Amino acid sequence: MTRTKRACGAAAALALAVLALSGCGDSADARGSGAAYEQAYANHEPLHVVGYPSTGSLRLTQELVWHIADGKTDDLRSLATGDSDDSQSTKTARNWVKGFEDGAQGKVTADFYDGGSERQVVVLYFHDTKQVKEFSMRLDGDAGEDGWKVLMKETDFKDATRKPAWAPKAPGGTGSKSSRH
């Protein structure tokens, strides 16, 4: 190996070490550190995915399912859009935990509809309980990819746990909700 190649390899290794030690390699964000996210990921059943989520909408959906599975209503409520007032988001979080906690602890498939650039509709299929849940999310403000939030205005338990009439019986149905309506 030439001296130049060894020097480039050493420089690359040094750069990676600096990134790791500085925390830049640990994708920390406003919702928690990368290590906390990785631990939550390891503690839960993998989320099965259909459709085309963005990185942010996928992460938000994973966190939503984990908070439901763990019964963490306050953490779930923290994922609400700015136009969901505290009363609405609190009641919705309680309804979702009460209605879907058992299902969220098992196999869950998230079916992402439409493009995930600013808004996205997601249908969750809870395989163990045979429940189906639709929710909407969007970028909330100018926060970029980490600014994804969930619309949480389902204060009535029956409304919050009602199966969407339009959703396919199984994940991977016939395409975007908006193209069918």
Side-chain angles (χ1 to χ4, degrees), residues 123-162:
V123 178
L124 297 175
Y125 292 85
F126 301 96
H127 296 268
D128 293 348
T129 60
K130 308 292 188 238
Q131 294 171 293
V132 179
K133 172 68 187 146
E134 169 193 10
F135 67 93
S136 297
M137 67 173 88
R138 65 177 169 80
L139 285 174
D140 199 32
D142 296 325
E145 190 69 15
D146 292 332
W148 283 93
K149 296 289 186 170
V150 179
L151 184 62
M152 297 181 79
K153 294 185 176 185
E154 296 176 331
T155 59
D156 179 76
F157 182 75
K158 286 184 181 182
D159 289 339
T161 57
R162 183 175 294 126

PDB file of all heavy atoms in Angstrom, residues 123-162:
ATOM      1  N   VAL A 123     -52.582   3.889   7.596  1.00  0.00           N
ATOM      2  CA  VAL A 123     -53.512   2.917   8.157  1.00  0.00           C
ATOM      3  C   VAL A 123     -52.682   1.869   8.879  1.00  0.00           C
ATOM      4  O   VAL A 123     -51.776   1.273   8.285  1.00  0.00           O
ATOM      5  CB  VAL A 123     -54.388   2.263   7.072  1.00  0.00           C
ATOM      6  CG1 VAL A 123     -55.319   1.226   7.695  1.00  0.00           C
ATOM      7  CG2 VAL A 123     -55.196   3.311   6.319  1.00  0.00           C
ATOM      8  N   LEU A 124     -52.972   1.686  10.163  1.00  0.00           N
ATOM      9  CA  LEU A 124     -52.293   0.677  10.970  1.00  0.00           C
ATOM     10  C   LEU A 124     -53.153  -0.578  11.020  1.00  0.00           C
ATOM     11  O   LEU A 124     -54.358  -0.503  11.271  1.00  0.00           O
ATOM     12  CB  LEU A 124     -52.064   1.186  12.398  1.00  0.00           C
ATOM     13  CG  LEU A 124     -51.173   2.404  12.547  1.00  0.00           C
ATOM     14  CD1 LEU A 124     -51.150   2.851  14.013  1.00  0.00           C
ATOM     15  CD2 LEU A 124     -49.768   2.133  12.046  1.00  0.00           C
ATOM     16  N   TYR A 125     -52.520  -1.716  10.788  1.00  0.00           N
ATOM     17  CA  TYR A 125     -53.180  -3.013  10.898  1.00  0.00           C
ATOM     18  C   TYR A 125     -52.560  -3.733  12.091  1.00  0.00           C
ATOM     19  O   TYR A 125     -51.382  -4.076  12.070  1.00  0.00           O
ATOM     20  CB  TYR A 125     -52.978  -3.826   9.622  1.00  0.00           C
ATOM     21  CG  TYR A 125     -53.690  -3.248   8.426  1.00  0.00           C
ATOM     22  CD1 TYR A 125     -53.099  -2.245   7.664  1.00  0.00           C
ATOM     23  CD2 TYR A 125     -54.954  -3.697   8.066  1.00  0.00           C
ATOM     24  CE1 TYR A 125     -53.758  -1.703   6.563  1.00  0.00           C
ATOM     25  CE2 TYR A 125     -55.622  -3.159   6.968  1.00  0.00           C
ATOM     26  CZ  TYR A 125     -55.011  -2.169   6.222  1.00  0.00           C
ATOM     27  OH  TYR A 125     -55.669  -1.625   5.140  1.00  0.00           O
ATOM     28  N   PHE A 126     -53.357  -3.940  13.142  1.00  0.00           N
ATOM     29  CA  PHE A 126     -52.911  -4.644  14.340  1.00  0.00           C
ATOM     30  C   PHE A 126     -53.293  -6.114  14.150  1.00  0.00           C
ATOM     31  O   PHE A 126     -54.461  -6.488  14.296  1.00  0.00           O
ATOM     32  CB  PHE A 126     -53.578  -4.051  15.587  1.00  0.00           C
ATOM     33  CG  PHE A 126     -53.287  -2.587  15.779  1.00  0.00           C
ATOM     34  CD1 PHE A 126     -54.179  -1.618  15.339  1.00  0.00           C
ATOM     35  CD2 PHE A 126     -52.121  -2.169  16.403  1.00  0.00           C
ATOM     36  CE1 PHE A 126     -53.911  -0.265  15.512  1.00  0.00           C
ATOM     37  CE2 PHE A 126     -51.849  -0.819  16.583  1.00  0.00           C
ATOM     38  CZ  PHE A 126     -52.750   0.131  16.134  1.00  0.00           C
ATOM     39  N   HIS A 127     -52.329  -6.945  13.807  1.00  0.00           N
ATOM     40  CA  HIS A 127     -52.609  -8.304  13.375  1.00  0.00           C
ATOM     41  C   HIS A 127     -53.195  -9.187  14.476  1.00  0.00           C
ATOM     42  O   HIS A 127     -54.101  -9.975  14.210  1.00  0.00           O
ATOM     43  CB  HIS A 127     -51.342  -8.935  12.782  1.00  0.00           C
ATOM     44  CG  HIS A 127     -50.885  -8.228  11.548  1.00  0.00           C
ATOM     45  ND1 HIS A 127     -51.288  -8.601  10.285  1.00  0.00           N
ATOM     46  CD2 HIS A 127     -50.091  -7.137  11.378  1.00  0.00           C
ATOM     47  CE1 HIS A 127     -50.750  -7.788   9.390  1.00  0.00           C
ATOM     48  NE2 HIS A 127     -50.015  -6.895  10.033  1.00  0.00           N
ATOM     49  N   ASP A 128     -52.695  -9.077  15.707  1.00  0.00           N
ATOM     50  CA  ASP A 128     -53.169  -9.954  16.786  1.00  0.00           C
ATOM     51  C   ASP A 128     -54.622  -9.684  17.154  1.00  0.00           C
ATOM     52  O   ASP A 128     -55.359 -10.610  17.496  1.00  0.00           O
ATOM     53  CB  ASP A 128     -52.295  -9.806  18.038  1.00  0.00           C
ATOM     54  CG  ASP A 128     -50.882 -10.329  17.816  1.00  0.00           C
ATOM     55  OD1 ASP A 128     -50.631 -11.013  16.799  1.00  0.00           O
ATOM     56  OD2 ASP A 128     -50.020 -10.053  18.676  1.00  0.00           O
ATOM     57  N   THR A 129     -55.043  -8.435  17.099  1.00  0.00           N
ATOM     58  CA  THR A 129     -56.406  -8.072  17.508  1.00  0.00           C
ATOM     59  C   THR A 129     -57.335  -7.845  16.324  1.00  0.00           C
ATOM     60  O   THR A 129     -58.520  -7.576  16.520  1.00  0.00           O
ATOM     61  CB  THR A 129     -56.382  -6.808  18.384  1.00  0.00           C
ATOM     62  OG1 THR A 129     -55.802  -5.726  17.638  1.00  0.00           O
ATOM     63  CG2 THR A 129     -55.613  -7.044  19.680  1.00  0.00           C
ATOM     64  N   LYS A 130     -56.784  -7.892  15.111  1.00  0.00           N
ATOM     65  CA  LYS A 130     -57.560  -7.672  13.870  1.00  0.00           C
ATOM     66  C   LYS A 130     -58.161  -6.264  13.804  1.00  0.00           C
ATOM     67  O   LYS A 130     -59.140  -6.038  13.115  1.00  0.00           O
ATOM     68  CB  LYS A 130     -58.679  -8.718  13.703  1.00  0.00           C
ATOM     69  CG  LYS A 130     -58.243 -10.151  13.821  1.00  0.00           C
ATOM     70  CD  LYS A 130     -57.371 -10.560  12.661  1.00  0.00           C
ATOM     71  CE  LYS A 130     -57.109 -12.051  12.691  1.00  0.00           C
ATOM     72  NZ  LYS A 130     -55.731 -12.396  12.745  1.00  0.00           N
ATOM     73  N   GLN A 131     -57.565  -5.305  14.496  1.00  0.00           N
ATOM     74  CA  GLN A 131     -58.035  -3.927  14.469  1.00  0.00           C
ATOM     75  C   GLN A 131     -57.337  -3.166  13.348  1.00  0.00           C
ATOM     76  O   GLN A 131     -56.219  -3.497  12.952  1.00  0.00           O
ATOM     77  CB  GLN A 131     -57.744  -3.221  15.801  1.00  0.00           C
ATOM     78  CG  GLN A 131     -58.514  -3.786  16.975  1.00  0.00           C
ATOM     79  CD  GLN A 131     -58.008  -3.187  18.262  1.00  0.00           C
ATOM     80  OE1 GLN A 131     -56.869  -3.445  18.661  1.00  0.00           O
ATOM     81  NE2 GLN A 131     -58.836  -2.379  18.905  1.00  0.00           N
ATOM     82  N   VAL A 132     -58.017  -2.113  12.881  1.00  0.00           N
ATOM     83  CA  VAL A 132     -57.475  -1.244  11.843  1.00  0.00           C
ATOM     84  C   VAL A 132     -57.691   0.188  12.300  1.00  0.00           C
ATOM     85  O   VAL A 132     -58.773   0.544  12.763  1.00  0.00           O
ATOM     86  CB  VAL A 132     -58.175  -1.485  10.489  1.00  0.00           C
ATOM     87  CG1 VAL A 132     -57.615  -0.564   9.414  1.00  0.00           C
ATOM     88  CG2 VAL A 132     -58.040  -2.943  10.060  1.00  0.00           C
ATOM     89  N   LYS A 133     -56.648   1.017  12.173  1.00  0.00           N
ATOM     90  CA  LYS A 133     -56.721   2.413  12.622  1.00  0.00           C
ATOM     91  C   LYS A 133     -56.130   3.326  11.561  1.00  0.00           C
ATOM     92  O   LYS A 133     -55.014   3.099  11.098  1.00  0.00           O
ATOM     93  CB  LYS A 133     -55.948   2.577  13.937  1.00  0.00           C
ATOM     94  CG  LYS A 133     -55.781   3.997  14.407  1.00  0.00           C
ATOM     95  CD  LYS A 133     -57.105   4.571  14.816  1.00  0.00           C
ATOM     96  CE  LYS A 133     -57.005   6.043  15.129  1.00  0.00           C
ATOM     97  NZ  LYS A 133     -58.222   6.739  14.754  1.00  0.00           N
ATOM     98  N   GLU A 134     -56.858   4.361  11.196  1.00  0.00           N
ATOM     99  CA  GLU A 134     -56.373   5.385  10.269  1.00  0.00           C
ATOM    100  C   GLU A 134     -56.002   6.627  11.061  1.00  0.00           C
ATOM    101  O   GLU A 134     -56.671   6.992  12.029  1.00  0.00           O
ATOM    102  CB  GLU A 134     -57.480   5.746   9.279  1.00  0.00           C
ATOM    103  CG  GLU A 134     -57.182   6.976   8.452  1.00  0.00           C
ATOM    104  CD  GLU A 134     -58.404   7.511   7.704  1.00  0.00           C
ATOM    105  OE1 GLU A 134     -59.523   7.059   7.954  1.00  0.00           O
ATOM    106  OE2 GLU A 134     -58.194   8.424   6.881  1.00  0.00           O
ATOM    107  N   PHE A 135     -54.923   7.282  10.650  1.00  0.00           N
ATOM    108  CA  PHE A 135     -54.607   8.600  11.198  1.00  0.00           C
ATOM    109  C   PHE A 135     -53.913   9.421  10.128  1.00  0.00           C
ATOM    110  O   PHE A 135     -53.406   8.886   9.142  1.00  0.00           O
ATOM    111  CB  PHE A 135     -53.769   8.517  12.487  1.00  0.00           C
ATOM    112  CG  PHE A 135     -52.376   7.979  12.311  1.00  0.00           C
ATOM    113  CD1 PHE A 135     -51.312   8.847  12.099  1.00  0.00           C
ATOM    114  CD2 PHE A 135     -52.127   6.622  12.375  1.00  0.00           C
ATOM    115  CE1 PHE A 135     -50.024   8.355  11.936  1.00  0.00           C
ATOM    116  CE2 PHE A 135     -50.848   6.122  12.220  1.00  0.00           C
ATOM    117  CZ  PHE A 135     -49.794   6.995  11.998  1.00  0.00           C
ATOM    118  N   SER A 136     -53.920  10.728  10.341  1.00  0.00           N
ATOM    119  CA  SER A 136     -53.275  11.660   9.406  1.00  0.00           C
ATOM    120  C   SER A 136     -52.128  12.350  10.104  1.00  0.00           C
ATOM    121  O   SER A 136     -52.191  12.636  11.302  1.00  0.00           O
ATOM    122  CB  SER A 136     -54.272  12.725   8.944  1.00  0.00           C
ATOM    123  OG  SER A 136     -55.328  12.126   8.245  1.00  0.00           O
ATOM    124  N   MET A 137     -51.085  12.629   9.342  1.00  0.00           N
ATOM    125  CA  MET A 137     -49.948  13.374   9.874  1.00  0.00           C
ATOM    126  C   MET A 137     -49.508  14.399   8.840  1.00  0.00           C
ATOM    127  O   MET A 137     -49.854  14.297   7.661  1.00  0.00           O
ATOM    128  CB  MET A 137     -48.811  12.438  10.235  1.00  0.00           C
ATOM    129  CG  MET A 137     -48.162  11.753   9.055  1.00  0.00           C
ATOM    130  SD  MET A 137     -46.708  10.823   9.527  1.00  0.00           S
ATOM    131  CE  MET A 137     -47.445   9.274   9.926  1.00  0.00           C
ATOM    132  N   ARG A 138     -48.762  15.368   9.339  1.00  0.00           N
ATOM    133  CA  ARG A 138     -48.264  16.407   8.434  1.00  0.00           C
ATOM    134  C   ARG A 138     -47.045  17.051   9.058  1.00  0.00           C
ATOM    135  O   ARG A 138     -46.786  16.904  10.255  1.00  0.00           O
ATOM    136  CB  ARG A 138     -49.328  17.452   8.163  1.00  0.00           C
ATOM    137  CG  ARG A 138     -49.736  18.257   9.391  1.00  0.00           C
ATOM    138  CD  ARG A 138     -50.753  19.327   9.017  1.00  0.00           C
ATOM    139  NE  ARG A 138     -51.361  19.941  10.158  1.00  0.00           N
ATOM    140  CZ  ARG A 138     -50.821  20.907  10.901  1.00  0.00           C
ATOM    141  NH1 ARG A 138     -49.628  21.364  10.621  1.00  0.00           N
ATOM    142  NH2 ARG A 138     -51.470  21.428  11.913  1.00  0.00           N
ATOM    143  N   LEU A 139     -46.320  17.775   8.210  1.00  0.00           N
ATOM    144  CA  LEU A 139     -45.238  18.602   8.733  1.00  0.00           C
ATOM    145  C   LEU A 139     -45.886  19.763   9.457  1.00  0.00           C
ATOM    146  O   LEU A 139     -46.813  20.389   8.936  1.00  0.00           O
ATOM    147  CB  LEU A 139     -44.332  19.099   7.607  1.00  0.00           C
ATOM    148  CG  LEU A 139     -43.382  18.063   7.029  1.00  0.00           C
ATOM    149  CD1 LEU A 139     -42.648  18.621   5.825  1.00  0.00           C
ATOM    150  CD2 LEU A 139     -42.393  17.596   8.080  1.00  0.00           C
ATOM    151  N   ASP A 140     -45.447  20.030  10.648  1.00  0.00           N
ATOM    152  CA  ASP A 140     -46.046  21.053  11.501  1.00  0.00           C
ATOM    153  C   ASP A 140     -45.065  22.212  11.639  1.00  0.00           C
ATOM    154  O   ASP A 140     -44.122  22.136  12.411  1.00  0.00           O
ATOM    155  CB  ASP A 140     -46.374  20.445  12.864  1.00  0.00           C
ATOM    156  CG  ASP A 140     -47.389  21.244  13.659  1.00  0.00           C
ATOM    157  OD1 ASP A 140     -48.269  21.863  13.043  1.00  0.00           O
ATOM    158  OD2 ASP A 140     -47.305  21.236  14.898  1.00  0.00           O
ATOM    159  N   GLY A 141     -45.260  23.253  10.865  1.00  0.00           N
ATOM    160  CA  GLY A 141     -44.361  24.402  10.916  1.00  0.00           C
ATOM    161  C   GLY A 141     -43.188  24.229   9.981  1.00  0.00           C
ATOM    162  O   GLY A 141     -43.219  23.454   9.043  1.00  0.00           O
ATOM    163  N   ASP A 142     -42.123  24.937  10.256  1.00  0.00           N
ATOM    164  CA  ASP A 142     -40.937  24.921   9.404  1.00  0.00           C
ATOM    165  C   ASP A 142     -39.825  24.063   9.999  1.00  0.00           C
ATOM    166  O   ASP A 142     -38.653  24.342   9.794  1.00  0.00           O
ATOM    167  CB  ASP A 142     -40.435  26.352   9.189  1.00  0.00           C
ATOM    168  CG  ASP A 142     -41.437  27.200   8.443  1.00  0.00           C
ATOM    169  OD1 ASP A 142     -42.118  26.652   7.557  1.00  0.00           O
ATOM    170  OD2 ASP A 142     -41.542  28.399   8.749  1.00  0.00           O
ATOM    171  N   ALA A 143     -40.198  23.016  10.713  1.00  0.00           N
ATOM    172  CA  ALA A 143     -39.203  22.212  11.411  1.00  0.00           C
ATOM    173  C   ALA A 143     -38.515  21.187  10.523  1.00  0.00           C
ATOM    174  O   ALA A 143     -37.643  20.473  10.974  1.00  0.00           O
ATOM    175  CB  ALA A 143     -39.851  21.505  12.606  1.00  0.00           C
ATOM    176  N   GLY A 144     -38.925  21.079   9.273  1.00  0.00           N
ATOM    177  CA  GLY A 144     -38.281  20.135   8.369  1.00  0.00           C
ATOM    178  C   GLY A 144     -38.706  18.708   8.638  1.00  0.00           C
ATOM    179  O   GLY A 144     -39.788  18.449   9.152  1.00  0.00           O
ATOM    180  N   GLU A 145     -37.847  17.776   8.301  1.00  0.00           N
ATOM    181  CA  GLU A 145     -38.157  16.350   8.382  1.00  0.00           C
ATOM    182  C   GLU A 145     -38.537  15.908   9.797  1.00  0.00           C
ATOM    183  O   GLU A 145     -39.337  15.008   9.968  1.00  0.00           O
ATOM    184  CB  GLU A 145     -36.940  15.559   7.888  1.00  0.00           C
ATOM    185  CG  GLU A 145     -37.183  14.100   7.687  1.00  0.00           C
ATOM    186  CD  GLU A 145     -38.107  13.743   6.530  1.00  0.00           C
ATOM    187  OE1 GLU A 145     -38.370  14.595   5.667  1.00  0.00           O
ATOM    188  OE2 GLU A 145     -38.581  12.599   6.499  1.00  0.00           O
ATOM    189  N   ASP A 146     -37.985  16.528  10.822  1.00  0.00           N
ATOM    190  CA  ASP A 146     -38.311  16.157  12.196  1.00  0.00           C
ATOM    191  C   ASP A 146     -39.580  16.829  12.682  1.00  0.00           C
ATOM    192  O   ASP A 146     -39.977  16.636  13.820  1.00  0.00           O
ATOM    193  CB  ASP A 146     -37.148  16.511  13.139  1.00  0.00           C
ATOM    194  CG  ASP A 146     -35.937  15.631  12.875  1.00  0.00           C
ATOM    195  OD1 ASP A 146     -36.123  14.493  12.412  1.00  0.00           O
ATOM    196  OD2 ASP A 146     -34.820  16.086  13.124  1.00  0.00           O
ATOM    197  N   GLY A 147     -40.230  17.631  11.849  1.00  0.00           N
ATOM    198  CA  GLY A 147     -41.424  18.355  12.252  1.00  0.00           C
ATOM    199  C   GLY A 147     -42.725  17.612  12.010  1.00  0.00           C
ATOM    200  O   GLY A 147     -43.792  18.194  12.069  1.00  0.00           O
ATOM    201  N   TRP A 148     -42.678  16.307  11.734  1.00  0.00           N
ATOM    202  CA  TRP A 148     -43.885  15.530  11.505  1.00  0.00           C
ATOM    203  C   TRP A 148     -44.677  15.398  12.800  1.00  0.00           C
ATOM    204  O   TRP A 148     -44.117  15.101  13.848  1.00  0.00           O
ATOM    205  CB  TRP A 148     -43.542  14.144  10.973  1.00  0.00           C
ATOM    206  CG  TRP A 148     -43.161  14.150   9.534  1.00  0.00           C
ATOM    207  CD1 TRP A 148     -41.900  14.240   9.028  1.00  0.00           C
ATOM    208  CD2 TRP A 148     -44.041  14.088   8.417  1.00  0.00           C
ATOM    209  NE1 TRP A 148     -41.951  14.235   7.652  1.00  0.00           N
ATOM    210  CE2 TRP A 148     -43.250  14.139   7.253  1.00  0.00           C
ATOM    211  CE3 TRP A 148     -45.426  13.991   8.287  1.00  0.00           C
ATOM    212  CZ2 TRP A 148     -43.804  14.091   5.975  1.00  0.00           C
ATOM    213  CZ3 TRP A 148     -45.968  13.943   7.014  1.00  0.00           C
ATOM    214  CH2 TRP A 148     -45.162  13.996   5.881  1.00  0.00           C
ATOM    215  N   LYS A 149     -45.983  15.630  12.704  1.00  0.00           N
ATOM    216  CA  LYS A 149     -46.884  15.524  13.852  1.00  0.00           C
ATOM    217  C   LYS A 149     -48.177  14.849  13.420  1.00  0.00           C
ATOM    218  O   LYS A 149     -48.517  14.812  12.239  1.00  0.00           O
ATOM    219  CB  LYS A 149     -47.200  16.909  14.438  1.00  0.00           C
ATOM    220  CG  LYS A 149     -45.990  17.641  15.014  1.00  0.00           C
ATOM    221  CD  LYS A 149     -45.524  16.993  16.279  1.00  0.00           C
ATOM    222  CE  LYS A 149     -44.416  17.796  16.931  1.00  0.00           C
ATOM    223  NZ  LYS A 149     -44.113  17.307  18.260  1.00  0.00           N
ATOM    224  N   VAL A 150     -48.946  14.351  14.378  1.00  0.00           N
ATOM    225  CA  VAL A 150     -50.172  13.602  14.139  1.00  0.00           C
ATOM    226  C   VAL A 150     -51.382  14.447  14.498  1.00  0.00           C
ATOM    227  O   VAL A 150     -51.387  15.107  15.546  1.00  0.00           O
ATOM    228  CB  VAL A 150     -50.183  12.311  14.985  1.00  0.00           C
ATOM    229  CG1 VAL A 150     -51.468  11.526  14.781  1.00  0.00           C
ATOM    230  CG2 VAL A 150     -48.974  11.464  14.680  1.00  0.00           C
ATOM    231  N   LEU A 151     -52.402  14.420  13.659  1.00  0.00           N
ATOM    232  CA  LEU A 151     -53.658  15.089  13.973  1.00  0.00           C
ATOM    233  C   LEU A 151     -54.367  14.264  15.044  1.00  0.00           C
ATOM    234  O   LEU A 151     -54.639  13.078  14.839  1.00  0.00           O
ATOM    235  CB  LEU A 151     -54.527  15.201  12.720  1.00  0.00           C
ATOM    236  CG  LEU A 151     -55.826  15.974  12.882  1.00  0.00           C
ATOM    237  CD1 LEU A 151     -55.541  17.427  13.264  1.00  0.00           C
ATOM    238  CD2 LEU A 151     -56.632  15.927  11.598  1.00  0.00           C
ATOM    239  N   MET A 152     -54.622  14.871  16.189  1.00  0.00           N
ATOM    240  CA  MET A 152     -55.226  14.150  17.322  1.00  0.00           C
ATOM    241  C   MET A 152     -56.442  14.911  17.834  1.00  0.00           C
ATOM    242  O   MET A 152     -56.350  15.691  18.778  1.00  0.00           O
ATOM    243  CB  MET A 152     -54.187  13.960  18.432  1.00  0.00           C
ATOM    244  CG  MET A 152     -53.003  13.118  18.012  1.00  0.00           C
ATOM    245  SD  MET A 152     -51.779  12.863  19.310  1.00  0.00           S
ATOM    246  CE  MET A 152     -52.570  11.574  20.244  1.00  0.00           C
ATOM    247  N   LYS A 153     -57.589  14.653  17.194  1.00  0.00           N
ATOM    248  CA  LYS A 153     -58.831  15.326  17.576  1.00  0.00           C
ATOM    249  C   LYS A 153     -59.980  14.331  17.750  1.00  0.00           C
ATOM    250  O   LYS A 153     -61.132  14.669  17.563  1.00  0.00           O
ATOM    251  CB  LYS A 153     -59.202  16.365  16.513  1.00  0.00           C
ATOM    252  CG  LYS A 153     -58.217  17.519  16.420  1.00  0.00           C
ATOM    253  CD  LYS A 153     -58.703  18.569  15.442  1.00  0.00           C
ATOM    254  CE  LYS A 153     -57.780  19.767  15.427  1.00  0.00           C
ATOM    255  NZ  LYS A 153     -58.300  20.844  14.583  1.00  0.00           N
ATOM    256  N   GLU A 154     -59.657  13.093  18.102  1.00  0.00           N
ATOM    257  CA  GLU A 154     -60.671  12.061  18.280  1.00  0.00           C
ATOM    258  C   GLU A 154     -60.996  11.892  19.765  1.00  0.00           C
ATOM    259  O   GLU A 154     -60.507  10.980  20.424  1.00  0.00           O
ATOM    260  CB  GLU A 154     -60.200  10.746  17.658  1.00  0.00           C
ATOM    261  CG  GLU A 154     -60.024  10.841  16.154  1.00  0.00           C
ATOM    262  CD  GLU A 154     -59.458   9.581  15.539  1.00  0.00           C
ATOM    263  OE1 GLU A 154     -58.708   8.847  16.217  1.00  0.00           O
ATOM    264  OE2 GLU A 154     -59.763   9.330  14.374  1.00  0.00           O
ATOM    265  N   THR A 155     -61.840  12.757  20.262  1.00  0.00           N
ATOM    266  CA  THR A 155     -62.144  12.772  21.693  1.00  0.00           C
ATOM    267  C   THR A 155     -63.202  11.746  22.089  1.00  0.00           C
ATOM    268  O   THR A 155     -63.334  11.428  23.266  1.00  0.00           O
ATOM    269  CB  THR A 155     -62.587  14.176  22.128  1.00  0.00           C
ATOM    270  OG1 THR A 155     -63.738  14.560  21.370  1.00  0.00           O
ATOM    271  CG2 THR A 155     -61.468  15.191  21.918  1.00  0.00           C
ATOM    272  N   ASP A 156     -63.954  11.228  21.132  1.00  0.00           N
ATOM    273  CA  ASP A 156     -64.960  10.201  21.406  1.00  0.00           C
ATOM    274  C   ASP A 156     -64.329   8.824  21.181  1.00  0.00           C
ATOM    275  O   ASP A 156     -63.756   8.569  20.117  1.00  0.00           O
ATOM    276  CB  ASP A 156     -66.170  10.389  20.476  1.00  0.00           C
ATOM    277  CG  ASP A 156     -67.228   9.321  20.704  1.00  0.00           C
ATOM    278  OD1 ASP A 156     -67.943   9.414  21.717  1.00  0.00           O
ATOM    279  OD2 ASP A 156     -67.307   8.388  19.867  1.00  0.00           O
ATOM    280  N   PHE A 157     -64.444   7.932  22.169  1.00  0.00           N
ATOM    281  CA  PHE A 157     -63.793   6.628  22.089  1.00  0.00           C
ATOM    282  C   PHE A 157     -64.250   5.833  20.869  1.00  0.00           C
ATOM    283  O   PHE A 157     -63.443   5.216  20.177  1.00  0.00           O
ATOM    284  CB  PHE A 157     -64.026   5.822  23.376  1.00  0.00           C
ATOM    285  CG  PHE A 157     -63.336   4.486  23.368  1.00  0.00           C
ATOM    286  CD1 PHE A 157     -61.964   4.391  23.555  1.00  0.00           C
ATOM    287  CD2 PHE A 157     -64.058   3.313  23.157  1.00  0.00           C
ATOM    288  CE1 PHE A 157     -61.314   3.166  23.530  1.00  0.00           C
ATOM    289  CE2 PHE A 157     -63.418   2.085  23.133  1.00  0.00           C
ATOM    290  CZ  PHE A 157     -62.050   2.006  23.324  1.00  0.00           C
ATOM    291  N   LYS A 158     -65.539   5.823  20.590  1.00  0.00           N
ATOM    292  CA  LYS A 158     -66.044   5.052  19.441  1.00  0.00           C
ATOM    293  C   LYS A 158     -65.479   5.595  18.130  1.00  0.00           C
ATOM    294  O   LYS A 158     -65.110   4.827  17.245  1.00  0.00           O
ATOM    295  CB  LYS A 158     -67.568   5.067  19.407  1.00  0.00           C
ATOM    296  CG  LYS A 158     -68.183   4.176  20.461  1.00  0.00           C
ATOM    297  CD  LYS A 158     -69.690   4.130  20.338  1.00  0.00           C
ATOM    298  CE  LYS A 158     -70.260   3.247  21.431  1.00  0.00           C
ATOM    299  NZ  LYS A 158     -71.709   3.130  21.347  1.00  0.00           N
ATOM    300  N   ASP A 159     -65.407   6.917  17.997  1.00  0.00           N
ATOM    301  CA  ASP A 159     -64.817   7.510  16.793  1.00  0.00           C
ATOM    302  C   ASP A 159     -63.325   7.183  16.694  1.00  0.00           C
ATOM    303  O   ASP A 159     -62.809   6.909  15.614  1.00  0.00           O
ATOM    304  CB  ASP A 159     -65.000   9.029  16.777  1.00  0.00           C
ATOM    305  CG  ASP A 159     -66.437   9.442  16.525  1.00  0.00           C
ATOM    306  OD1 ASP A 159     -67.219   8.625  15.983  1.00  0.00           O
ATOM    307  OD2 ASP A 159     -66.785  10.584  16.876  1.00  0.00           O
ATOM    308  N   ALA A 160     -62.649   7.219  17.825  1.00  0.00           N
ATOM    309  CA  ALA A 160     -61.205   7.000  17.850  1.00  0.00           C
ATOM    310  C   ALA A 160     -60.824   5.565  17.494  1.00  0.00           C
ATOM    311  O   ALA A 160     -59.724   5.322  17.005  1.00  0.00           O
ATOM    312  CB  ALA A 160     -60.644   7.350  19.220  1.00  0.00           C
ATOM    313  N   THR A 161     -61.726   4.630  17.722  1.00  0.00           N
ATOM    314  CA  THR A 161     -61.400   3.222  17.494  1.00  0.00           C
ATOM    315  C   THR A 161     -62.176   2.613  16.325  1.00  0.00           C
ATOM    316  O   THR A 161     -62.032   1.422  16.053  1.00  0.00           O
ATOM    317  CB  THR A 161     -61.678   2.396  18.772  1.00  0.00           C
ATOM    318  OG1 THR A 161     -63.044   2.566  19.164  1.00  0.00           O
ATOM    319  CG2 THR A 161     -60.741   2.814  19.898  1.00  0.00           C
ATOM    320  N   ARG A 162     -62.944   3.423  15.622  1.00  0.00           N
ATOM    321  CA  ARG A 162     -63.726   2.935  14.480  1.00  0.00           C
ATOM    322  C   ARG A 162     -62.808   2.602  13.307  1.00  0.00           C
ATOM    323  O   ARG A 162     -61.933   3.368  12.946  1.00  0.00           O
ATOM    324  CB  ARG A 162     -64.738   3.993  14.053  1.00  0.00           C
ATOM    325  CG  ARG A 162     -65.641   3.537  12.902  1.00  0.00           C
ATOM    326  CD  ARG A 162     -66.720   4.544  12.568  1.00  0.00           C
ATOM    327  NE  ARG A 162     -67.641   4.630  13.706  1.00  0.00           N
ATOM    328  CZ  ARG A 162     -67.962   5.772  14.328  1.00  0.00           C
ATOM    329  NH1 ARG A 162     -67.456   6.916  13.917  1.00  0.00           N
ATOM    330  NH2 ARG A 162     -68.784   5.767  15.336  1.00  0.00           N
TER     331      ARG A 162
END
